Amino acid sequence: MAQQELKRDLANRHVQLIAIGGTIGTGLFLGSGKAIQLAGPSIIFTYLIVGIAIFFVMRALGELLLSKAGYQSFTDIAEDYLGPRVAFVTGWTYWFCWIMTAMADIIAVGVYVQYWFDIPQWIPEVICLIILLGLNLLTVKYFGELEFWFALIKVVTILGLIVLGVILLVIGFKTDTGMVTVKNIWEHGGMFPNGITGFLLSFQMVVFAFVGVELVGVSAAETSDPQKNIPSAINKIPLRILFFYVGAIIALLCINPWTELSPTESPFVKTFSLVGIPIAAGIINFVVLTSAASACNSGMFSTSRILYSLGNKKQAPSRFAKLNKNHVPRNGLLISTLVLLVGALLSKLIPEQAFGIVTTISAICFIWVWGVVLVCHVKYKRTRPQLQAKSKFKAPFTPFINYVVLSLFAVILMIMLIAEETRPALLLTPVWFILLFALYGWTRRKPRS
């Protein structure tokens, strides 16, 4: 029986907006307040450093994906260069990454809806999951359209913040905390008010802020023209990082001294409130709600495609490799949605600790996935000169930059080990990898379904 194939229904505008949606999420809208309190203004450098590292990861991934027509995701690449065992662990780890992230986001949807309606939290969570599941089951084009509009809302909000910041700077606007000025960035303790320690501790949350950028790679199998669309989306990542992350943070710090921002409150809400926009909280609550729904939507998309890929390789039950009449991996979508429902229930039992644990584990697992991409690219450079000769999308400064970024990831993991807040999750995460390696050996002995 011929293998069923995913439909190439994602147009260039879908891929471009998936890339933007992947680089703007709850890490910026919610996590930036905590990151700013840790690092102060030096958070600008943290976003720059991690953003540059992720760009080189994406260039490596782009070159690998386009080097061979049969690649549908980075699990295919991992199997080709590092063997089926690493592909198995990476595929299931990526699924786990997005499940953990989507769990937090779907719970956030329930919390945000309660801002307007006094209803039990689980009701909007279930409704949101059902709607997203229904749209994803129809066709990949609906996923693309949904992400297009979700991402557009995020873009408009950040554009509004940056334009607002420029206007307030020009007119010399005064808020309750003082005049809006560029000097607010460094006049409250300097660029490193909490020293190098605070700067280093901010890396975990910033890494989490960038999770999802690799969705460009996951969507490669379903884009109508990957040779054109994938390079275009990846090459625009640096500009998006500078504009949406660094630009937004600079605007926030010009309007508010960093000392006035709370780690538990969205700095976006604080900023719009300071300048006298009465419906600011409602506006930002809507934006954060759509951002959370967007991240959950991305999680459902990516986890179903990973299960589809694993099913095709006999590294998951073969039923995951089956597509419905719309060329969508229905079984993968259904099982991921069911796990999200269970996860939402469990996460509600420890609401105060859940976000920190989930973001740390997610960041660690994404570092594994990104690291595998870099290692595969090093091996590609060493062993596939014939493919490199044909490549029209070469990653720059390789393999030297691969080792630099891998070293940065190692340093970030060491920081997580030292920090009390992230240490428990870091020490627990290896259990997942040990179980996966053991499970792979068991599946090799077990008759395939």
Side-chain angles (χ1 to χ4, degrees):
M1 182 177 176
Q3 177 184 321
Q4 293 178 294
E5 294 185 355
L6 296 168
K7 200 168 185 178
R8 293 182 178 272
D9 264 355
L10 291 179
N12 181 48
R13 70 184 181 91
H14 294 141
V15 177
Q16 295 293 340
L17 267 294
I18 288 171
I20 294 176
T23 52
I24 306 172
T26 53
L28 178 62
F29 289 119
L30 298 179
S32 57
K34 180 179 179 181
I36 289 170
Q37 282 303 302
L38 286 169
S42 65
I43 193 66
I44 296 170
F45 304 131
T46 312
Y47 277 111
L48 278 172
I49 291 169
V50 177
I52 291 169
I54 297 303
F55 170 65
F56 286 116
V57 173
M58 291 305 300
R59 283 299 301 259
L61 176 59
E63 183 174 3
L64 288 169
L65 280 170
L66 298 176
S67 68
K68 190 173 179 180
Y71 291 150
Q72 294 181 335
S73 71
F74 40 71
T75 53
D76 298 322
I77 297 169
E79 181 168 7
D80 196 6
Y81 289 95
L82 302 176
R85 185 185 298 270
V86 174
F88 176 86
V89 172
T90 301
W92 280 106
T93 297
Y94 189 64
W95 177 83
F96 183 61
C97 287
W98 270 109
I99 285 293
M100 295 292 286
T101 304
M103 279 183 191
D105 286 306
I106 199 60
I107 293 170
V109 167
V111 173
Y112 299 143
V113 171
Q114 285 182 321
Y115 176 83
W116 294 294
F117 306 104
D118 186 18
I119 58 175
Q121 184 177 320
W122 65 269
I123 294 177
E125 293 174 15
V126 173
I127 293 173
C128 181
L129 278 175
I130 292 172
I131 293 172
L132 294 178
L133 174 63
L135 290 172
N136 275 277
L137 282 172
L138 293 174
T139 171
V140 69
K141 189 175 287 187
Y142 282 99
F143 165 77
E145 286 297 328
L146 205 58
E147 279 304 290
F148 180 88
W149 293 107
F150 277 150
L152 202 58
I153 291 170
K154 301 177 191 179
V155 171
V156 169
T157 300
I158 296 176
L159 276 173
L161 173 68
I162 294 173
V163 170
L164 177 67
V166 172
I167 293 173
L168 297 182
L169 275 171
V170 171
I171 66 175
F173 188 84
K174 288 186 178 181
T175 70
D176 293 341
T177 60
M179 182 174 289
V180 176
T181 171
V182 176
K183 293 181 180 179
N184 278 336
I185 297 177
W186 61 80
E187 280 195 339
H188 299 270
M191 292 300 291
F192 294 84
N194 294 327
I196 193 67
T197 301
F199 170 67
L200 293 175
L201 290 176
S202 69
F203 272 84
Q204 179 269 323
M205 187 56 69
V206 173
V207 168
F208 177 73
F210 283 101
V211 302
V213 67
E214 75 298 321
L215 266 180
V216 176
V218 176
S219 63
E222 295 171 84
T223 179
S224 55
D225 188 0
Q227 294 291 335
K228 176 184 177 182
N229 296 337
I230 300 301
S232 176
I234 290 174
N235 283 334
K236 289 173 182 171
I237 288 175
L239 183 61
R240 287 167 181 152
I241 290 169
L242 282 170
F243 189 79
F244 292 115
Y245 275 104
V246 179
I249 295 297
I250 289 175
L252 287 172
L253 294 178
C254 287
I255 298 171
N256 311 277
W258 73 271
T259 51
E260 299 295 325
L261 297 175
S262 168
T264 59
E265 181 184 5
S266 169
F268 288 80
V269 175
K270 173 79 171 179
T271 299
F272 281 93
S273 298
L274 272 176
V275 298
I277 300 177
I279 58 172
I283 294 172
I284 299 304
N285 194 70
F286 174 74
V287 170
V288 176
L289 171 62
T290 59
S291 177
S294 170
C296 186
N297 187 44
S298 297
M300 293 172 70
F301 173 85
S302 59
T303 52
S304 64
R305 270 57 181 181
I306 288 294
L307 290 179
Y308 167 81
S309 178
L310 292 169
N312 275 326
K313 293 176 172 56
K314 308 301 181 185
Q315 294 180 342
S318 59
R319 66 180 69 94
F320 290 135
K322 295 179 181 179
L323 305 178
N324 65 9
K325 63 181 180 180
N326 296 318
H327 298 268
V328 170
R330 179 188 59 192
N331 293 331
L333 275 168
L334 290 173
I335 194 66
S336 292
T337 304
L338 287 173
V339 174
L340 285 175
L341 285 170
V342 175
L345 177 63
L346 293 175
S347 297
K348 285 165 66 177
L349 300 176
I350 50 170
E352 294 182 2
Q353 296 84 14
F355 186 74
I357 293 172
V358 165
T359 55
T360 302
I361 294 176
S362 179
I364 294 166
C365 292
F366 271 104
I367 285 175
W368 167 276
V369 172
W370 296 335
V372 166
V373 170
L374 292 171
V375 172
C376 288
H377 190 258
V378 168
K379 197 163 184 180
Y380 159 82
K381 299 292 287 186
R382 288 179 179 174
T383 62
R384 305 288 172 89
Q386 70 279 12
L387 294 180
Q388 296 171 48
K390 299 176 183 178
S391 175
K392 297 180 180 178
F393 189 60
K394 297 181 185 292
F397 311 121
T398 57
F400 169 75
I401 198 66
N402 298 54
Y403 295 119
V404 172
V405 176
L406 286 169
S407 299
L408 173 65
F409 289 159
V411 170
I412 293 172
L413 291 176
M414 287 299 298
I415 294 169
M416 291 184 190
L417 181 62
I418 294 170
E420 290 184 13
E421 186 175 350
T422 55
R423 187 186 303 131
L426 180 66
L427 295 177
L428 281 173
T429 305
V431 175
W432 167 257
F433 291 99
I434 292 170
L435 289 174
L436 282 181
F437 278 106
L439 183 60
Y440 176 81
W442 178 74
T443 58
R444 295 301 89 189
R445 296 190 298 270
K446 182 179 179 293
R448 295 173 182 175
S449 58

PDB file of all heavy atoms in Angstrom, residues 135-158:
ATOM      1  N   LEU A 135     -11.144  22.724  13.149  1.00  0.00           N
ATOM      2  CA  LEU A 135     -10.516  23.448  12.040  1.00  0.00           C
ATOM      3  C   LEU A 135      -9.302  22.706  11.503  1.00  0.00           C
ATOM      4  O   LEU A 135      -9.070  22.651  10.290  1.00  0.00           O
ATOM      5  CB  LEU A 135     -10.125  24.857  12.494  1.00  0.00           C
ATOM      6  CG  LEU A 135     -11.287  25.820  12.761  1.00  0.00           C
ATOM      7  CD1 LEU A 135     -10.791  27.105  13.391  1.00  0.00           C
ATOM      8  CD2 LEU A 135     -12.027  26.119  11.465  1.00  0.00           C
ATOM      9  N   ASN A 136      -8.511  22.115  12.401  1.00  0.00           N
ATOM     10  CA  ASN A 136      -7.313  21.385  11.965  1.00  0.00           C
ATOM     11  C   ASN A 136      -7.666  20.103  11.225  1.00  0.00           C
ATOM     12  O   ASN A 136      -6.905  19.636  10.377  1.00  0.00           O
ATOM     13  CB  ASN A 136      -6.409  21.078  13.162  1.00  0.00           C
ATOM     14  CG  ASN A 136      -5.476  22.217  13.502  1.00  0.00           C
ATOM     15  OD1 ASN A 136      -4.408  22.370  12.913  1.00  0.00           O
ATOM     16  ND2 ASN A 136      -5.878  23.054  14.446  1.00  0.00           N
ATOM     17  N   LEU A 137      -8.813  19.495  11.560  1.00  0.00           N
ATOM     18  CA  LEU A 137      -9.216  18.255  10.899  1.00  0.00           C
ATOM     19  C   LEU A 137      -9.674  18.494   9.464  1.00  0.00           C
ATOM     20  O   LEU A 137      -9.619  17.582   8.630  1.00  0.00           O
ATOM     21  CB  LEU A 137     -10.347  17.579  11.682  1.00  0.00           C
ATOM     22  CG  LEU A 137      -9.952  16.811  12.944  1.00  0.00           C
ATOM     23  CD1 LEU A 137     -11.183  16.361  13.701  1.00  0.00           C
ATOM     24  CD2 LEU A 137      -9.077  15.603  12.602  1.00  0.00           C
ATOM     25  N   LEU A 138     -10.125  19.696   9.160  1.00  0.00           N
ATOM     26  CA  LEU A 138     -10.679  19.957   7.837  1.00  0.00           C
ATOM     27  C   LEU A 138      -9.603  19.948   6.754  1.00  0.00           C
ATOM     28  O   LEU A 138      -9.659  19.184   5.803  1.00  0.00           O
ATOM     29  CB  LEU A 138     -11.431  21.288   7.839  1.00  0.00           C
ATOM     30  CG  LEU A 138     -12.711  21.313   8.686  1.00  0.00           C
ATOM     31  CD1 LEU A 138     -13.295  22.716   8.728  1.00  0.00           C
ATOM     32  CD2 LEU A 138     -13.731  20.322   8.141  1.00  0.00           C
ATOM     33  N   THR A 139      -8.608  20.804   6.903  1.00  0.00           N
ATOM     34  CA  THR A 139      -7.526  20.868   5.920  1.00  0.00           C
ATOM     35  C   THR A 139      -6.413  21.726   6.487  1.00  0.00           C
ATOM     36  O   THR A 139      -6.657  22.603   7.325  1.00  0.00           O
ATOM     37  CB  THR A 139      -7.994  21.459   4.581  1.00  0.00           C
ATOM     38  OG1 THR A 139      -6.854  21.699   3.747  1.00  0.00           O
ATOM     39  CG2 THR A 139      -8.752  22.756   4.762  1.00  0.00           C
ATOM     40  N   VAL A 140      -5.190  21.490   6.031  1.00  0.00           N
ATOM     41  CA  VAL A 140      -4.055  22.268   6.525  1.00  0.00           C
ATOM     42  C   VAL A 140      -4.214  23.746   6.175  1.00  0.00           C
ATOM     43  O   VAL A 140      -3.682  24.623   6.836  1.00  0.00           O
ATOM     44  CB  VAL A 140      -2.726  21.720   5.963  1.00  0.00           C
ATOM     45  CG1 VAL A 140      -2.611  21.967   4.460  1.00  0.00           C
ATOM     46  CG2 VAL A 140      -1.538  22.345   6.687  1.00  0.00           C
ATOM     47  N   LYS A 141      -4.995  24.040   5.123  1.00  0.00           N
ATOM     48  CA  LYS A 141      -5.203  25.433   4.727  1.00  0.00           C
ATOM     49  C   LYS A 141      -5.897  26.217   5.838  1.00  0.00           C
ATOM     50  O   LYS A 141      -5.642  27.396   6.049  1.00  0.00           O
ATOM     51  CB  LYS A 141      -6.021  25.494   3.443  1.00  0.00           C
ATOM     52  CG  LYS A 141      -6.110  26.902   2.840  1.00  0.00           C
ATOM     53  CD  LYS A 141      -6.823  26.891   1.507  1.00  0.00           C
ATOM     54  CE  LYS A 141      -5.944  26.278   0.436  1.00  0.00           C
ATOM     55  NZ  LYS A 141      -6.548  26.396  -0.914  1.00  0.00           N
ATOM     56  N   TYR A 142      -6.800  25.543   6.584  1.00  0.00           N
ATOM     57  CA  TYR A 142      -7.481  26.218   7.680  1.00  0.00           C
ATOM     58  C   TYR A 142      -6.507  26.550   8.807  1.00  0.00           C
ATOM     59  O   TYR A 142      -6.619  27.591   9.457  1.00  0.00           O
ATOM     60  CB  TYR A 142      -8.627  25.360   8.213  1.00  0.00           C
ATOM     61  CG  TYR A 142      -9.858  25.417   7.339  1.00  0.00           C
ATOM     62  CD1 TYR A 142     -10.126  24.407   6.425  1.00  0.00           C
ATOM     63  CD2 TYR A 142     -10.754  26.479   7.426  1.00  0.00           C
ATOM     64  CE1 TYR A 142     -11.248  24.459   5.608  1.00  0.00           C
ATOM     65  CE2 TYR A 142     -11.876  26.544   6.612  1.00  0.00           C
ATOM     66  CZ  TYR A 142     -12.113  25.523   5.708  1.00  0.00           C
ATOM     67  OH  TYR A 142     -13.209  25.591   4.906  1.00  0.00           O
ATOM     68  N   PHE A 143      -5.560  25.635   9.035  1.00  0.00           N
ATOM     69  CA  PHE A 143      -4.518  25.928  10.023  1.00  0.00           C
ATOM     70  C   PHE A 143      -3.742  27.171   9.600  1.00  0.00           C
ATOM     71  O   PHE A 143      -3.491  28.070  10.398  1.00  0.00           O
ATOM     72  CB  PHE A 143      -3.554  24.748  10.176  1.00  0.00           C
ATOM     73  CG  PHE A 143      -2.271  25.112  10.892  1.00  0.00           C
ATOM     74  CD1 PHE A 143      -2.245  25.262  12.262  1.00  0.00           C
ATOM     75  CD2 PHE A 143      -1.104  25.328  10.169  1.00  0.00           C
ATOM     76  CE1 PHE A 143      -1.070  25.625  12.918  1.00  0.00           C
ATOM     77  CE2 PHE A 143       0.076  25.685  10.809  1.00  0.00           C
ATOM     78  CZ  PHE A 143       0.085  25.833  12.184  1.00  0.00           C
ATOM     79  N   GLY A 144      -3.363  27.205   8.323  1.00  0.00           N
ATOM     80  CA  GLY A 144      -2.624  28.352   7.816  1.00  0.00           C
ATOM     81  C   GLY A 144      -3.406  29.649   7.949  1.00  0.00           C
ATOM     82  O   GLY A 144      -2.857  30.681   8.342  1.00  0.00           O
ATOM     83  N   GLU A 145      -4.697  29.607   7.613  1.00  0.00           N
ATOM     84  CA  GLU A 145      -5.527  30.801   7.717  1.00  0.00           C
ATOM     85  C   GLU A 145      -5.673  31.261   9.156  1.00  0.00           C
ATOM     86  O   GLU A 145      -5.621  32.451   9.462  1.00  0.00           O
ATOM     87  CB  GLU A 145      -6.920  30.528   7.120  1.00  0.00           C
ATOM     88  CG  GLU A 145      -6.951  30.467   5.610  1.00  0.00           C
ATOM     89  CD  GLU A 145      -6.569  31.787   4.961  1.00  0.00           C
ATOM     90  OE1 GLU A 145      -6.843  32.861   5.539  1.00  0.00           O
ATOM     91  OE2 GLU A 145      -5.978  31.737   3.868  1.00  0.00           O
ATOM     92  N   LEU A 146      -5.876  30.283  10.065  1.00  0.00           N
ATOM     93  CA  LEU A 146      -6.033  30.608  11.479  1.00  0.00           C
ATOM     94  C   LEU A 146      -4.772  31.278  12.019  1.00  0.00           C
ATOM     95  O   LEU A 146      -4.834  32.303  12.702  1.00  0.00           O
ATOM     96  CB  LEU A 146      -6.353  29.333  12.268  1.00  0.00           C
ATOM     97  CG  LEU A 146      -7.118  29.492  13.578  1.00  0.00           C
ATOM     98  CD1 LEU A 146      -8.447  30.193  13.359  1.00  0.00           C
ATOM     99  CD2 LEU A 146      -7.355  28.116  14.208  1.00  0.00           C
ATOM    100  N   GLU A 147      -3.606  30.693  11.704  1.00  0.00           N
ATOM    101  CA  GLU A 147      -2.349  31.267  12.161  1.00  0.00           C
ATOM    102  C   GLU A 147      -2.095  32.634  11.525  1.00  0.00           C
ATOM    103  O   GLU A 147      -1.489  33.511  12.132  1.00  0.00           O
ATOM    104  CB  GLU A 147      -1.189  30.313  11.861  1.00  0.00           C
ATOM    105  CG  GLU A 147      -1.033  29.207  12.876  1.00  0.00           C
ATOM    106  CD  GLU A 147      -0.870  29.752  14.280  1.00  0.00           C
ATOM    107  OE1 GLU A 147       0.185  30.340  14.591  1.00  0.00           O
ATOM    108  OE2 GLU A 147      -1.806  29.612  15.090  1.00  0.00           O
ATOM    109  N   PHE A 148      -2.530  32.786  10.285  1.00  0.00           N
ATOM    110  CA  PHE A 148      -2.363  34.059   9.589  1.00  0.00           C
ATOM    111  C   PHE A 148      -3.019  35.181  10.387  1.00  0.00           C
ATOM    112  O   PHE A 148      -2.408  36.230  10.653  1.00  0.00           O
ATOM    113  CB  PHE A 148      -2.977  33.964   8.191  1.00  0.00           C
ATOM    114  CG  PHE A 148      -2.868  35.225   7.381  1.00  0.00           C
ATOM    115  CD1 PHE A 148      -1.762  35.471   6.594  1.00  0.00           C
ATOM    116  CD2 PHE A 148      -3.882  36.173   7.418  1.00  0.00           C
ATOM    117  CE1 PHE A 148      -1.658  36.641   5.847  1.00  0.00           C
ATOM    118  CE2 PHE A 148      -3.798  37.350   6.682  1.00  0.00           C
ATOM    119  CZ  PHE A 148      -2.678  37.585   5.892  1.00  0.00           C
ATOM    120  N   TRP A 149      -4.274  34.962  10.791  1.00  0.00           N
ATOM    121  CA  TRP A 149      -4.998  36.015  11.504  1.00  0.00           C
ATOM    122  C   TRP A 149      -4.538  36.149  12.947  1.00  0.00           C
ATOM    123  O   TRP A 149      -4.468  37.265  13.489  1.00  0.00           O
ATOM    124  CB  TRP A 149      -6.504  35.755  11.423  1.00  0.00           C
ATOM    125  CG  TRP A 149      -7.007  35.913  10.024  1.00  0.00           C
ATOM    126  CD1 TRP A 149      -7.395  34.937   9.156  1.00  0.00           C
ATOM    127  CD2 TRP A 149      -7.121  37.141   9.299  1.00  0.00           C
ATOM    128  NE1 TRP A 149      -7.756  35.458   7.947  1.00  0.00           N
ATOM    129  CE2 TRP A 149      -7.600  36.824   7.999  1.00  0.00           C
ATOM    130  CE3 TRP A 149      -6.882  38.482   9.607  1.00  0.00           C
ATOM    131  CZ2 TRP A 149      -7.829  37.790   7.030  1.00  0.00           C
ATOM    132  CZ3 TRP A 149      -7.119  39.447   8.644  1.00  0.00           C
ATOM    133  CH2 TRP A 149      -7.583  39.093   7.372  1.00  0.00           C
ATOM    134  N   PHE A 150      -4.222  35.029  13.604  1.00  0.00           N
ATOM    135  CA  PHE A 150      -3.678  35.103  14.961  1.00  0.00           C
ATOM    136  C   PHE A 150      -2.387  35.927  14.975  1.00  0.00           C
ATOM    137  O   PHE A 150      -2.179  36.793  15.822  1.00  0.00           O
ATOM    138  CB  PHE A 150      -3.381  33.699  15.495  1.00  0.00           C
ATOM    139  CG  PHE A 150      -4.584  33.008  16.081  1.00  0.00           C
ATOM    140  CD1 PHE A 150      -4.684  31.617  16.033  1.00  0.00           C
ATOM    141  CD2 PHE A 150      -5.597  33.713  16.687  1.00  0.00           C
ATOM    142  CE1 PHE A 150      -5.774  30.964  16.580  1.00  0.00           C
ATOM    143  CE2 PHE A 150      -6.699  33.069  17.238  1.00  0.00           C
ATOM    144  CZ  PHE A 150      -6.789  31.691  17.186  1.00  0.00           C
ATOM    145  N   ALA A 151      -1.484  35.617  14.033  1.00  0.00           N
ATOM    146  CA  ALA A 151      -0.209  36.317  13.974  1.00  0.00           C
ATOM    147  C   ALA A 151      -0.402  37.787  13.635  1.00  0.00           C
ATOM    148  O   ALA A 151       0.322  38.647  14.141  1.00  0.00           O
ATOM    149  CB  ALA A 151       0.707  35.654  12.944  1.00  0.00           C
ATOM    150  N   LEU A 152      -1.389  38.082  12.793  1.00  0.00           N
ATOM    151  CA  LEU A 152      -1.653  39.461  12.409  1.00  0.00           C
ATOM    152  C   LEU A 152      -2.050  40.303  13.621  1.00  0.00           C
ATOM    153  O   LEU A 152      -1.630  41.468  13.747  1.00  0.00           O
ATOM    154  CB  LEU A 152      -2.761  39.498  11.357  1.00  0.00           C
ATOM    155  CG  LEU A 152      -2.837  40.747  10.472  1.00  0.00           C
ATOM    156  CD1 LEU A 152      -1.538  40.970   9.724  1.00  0.00           C
ATOM    157  CD2 LEU A 152      -4.002  40.629   9.500  1.00  0.00           C
ATOM    158  N   ILE A 153      -2.836  39.711  14.523  1.00  0.00           N
ATOM    159  CA  ILE A 153      -3.230  40.419  15.743  1.00  0.00           C
ATOM    160  C   ILE A 153      -2.005  40.748  16.589  1.00  0.00           C
ATOM    161  O   ILE A 153      -1.853  41.861  17.117  1.00  0.00           O
ATOM    162  CB  ILE A 153      -4.240  39.583  16.553  1.00  0.00           C
ATOM    163  CG1 ILE A 153      -5.576  39.496  15.802  1.00  0.00           C
ATOM    164  CG2 ILE A 153      -4.453  40.177  17.942  1.00  0.00           C
ATOM    165  CD1 ILE A 153      -6.548  38.515  16.404  1.00  0.00           C
ATOM    166  N   LYS A 154      -1.081  39.775  16.707  1.00  0.00           N
ATOM    167  CA  LYS A 154       0.149  40.006  17.474  1.00  0.00           C
ATOM    168  C   LYS A 154       0.977  41.120  16.846  1.00  0.00           C
ATOM    169  O   LYS A 154       1.496  42.007  17.539  1.00  0.00           O
ATOM    170  CB  LYS A 154       0.985  38.728  17.527  1.00  0.00           C
ATOM    171  CG  LYS A 154       0.317  37.522  18.145  1.00  0.00           C
ATOM    172  CD  LYS A 154       1.260  36.333  18.050  1.00  0.00           C
ATOM    173  CE  LYS A 154       0.570  35.028  18.394  1.00  0.00           C
ATOM    174  NZ  LYS A 154       1.464  33.868  18.289  1.00  0.00           N
ATOM    175  N   VAL A 155       1.117  41.068  15.529  1.00  0.00           N
ATOM    176  CA  VAL A 155       1.925  42.057  14.814  1.00  0.00           C
ATOM    177  C   VAL A 155       1.351  43.460  15.001  1.00  0.00           C
ATOM    178  O   VAL A 155       2.086  44.422  15.282  1.00  0.00           O
ATOM    179  CB  VAL A 155       2.005  41.698  13.315  1.00  0.00           C
ATOM    180  CG1 VAL A 155       2.643  42.838  12.526  1.00  0.00           C
ATOM    181  CG2 VAL A 155       2.802  40.417  13.111  1.00  0.00           C
ATOM    182  N   VAL A 156       0.047  43.590  14.845  1.00  0.00           N
ATOM    183  CA  VAL A 156      -0.603  44.902  14.984  1.00  0.00           C
ATOM    184  C   VAL A 156      -0.402  45.457  16.388  1.00  0.00           C
ATOM    185  O   VAL A 156      -0.146  46.656  16.575  1.00  0.00           O
ATOM    186  CB  VAL A 156      -2.105  44.799  14.639  1.00  0.00           C
ATOM    187  CG1 VAL A 156      -2.840  46.075  15.031  1.00  0.00           C
ATOM    188  CG2 VAL A 156      -2.289  44.522  13.153  1.00  0.00           C
ATOM    189  N   THR A 157      -0.500  44.584  17.390  1.00  0.00           N
ATOM    190  CA  THR A 157      -0.325  45.024  18.776  1.00  0.00           C
ATOM    191  C   THR A 157       1.083  45.556  19.020  1.00  0.00           C
ATOM    192  O   THR A 157       1.269  46.627  19.615  1.00  0.00           O
ATOM    193  CB  THR A 157      -0.602  43.861  19.745  1.00  0.00           C
ATOM    194  OG1 THR A 157      -1.935  43.408  19.552  1.00  0.00           O
ATOM    195  CG2 THR A 157      -0.425  44.298  21.187  1.00  0.00           C
ATOM    196  N   ILE A 158       2.086  44.809  18.553  1.00  0.00           N
ATOM    197  CA  ILE A 158       3.465  45.241  18.779  1.00  0.00           C
ATOM    198  C   ILE A 158       3.783  46.486  17.955  1.00  0.00           C
ATOM    199  O   ILE A 158       4.473  47.395  18.418  1.00  0.00           O
ATOM    200  CB  ILE A 158       4.444  44.095  18.460  1.00  0.00           C
ATOM    201  CG1 ILE A 158       4.203  42.941  19.441  1.00  0.00           C
ATOM    202  CG2 ILE A 158       5.887  44.563  18.564  1.00  0.00           C
ATOM    203  CD1 ILE A 158       5.042  41.716  19.184  1.00  0.00           C
TER     204      ILE A 158
END
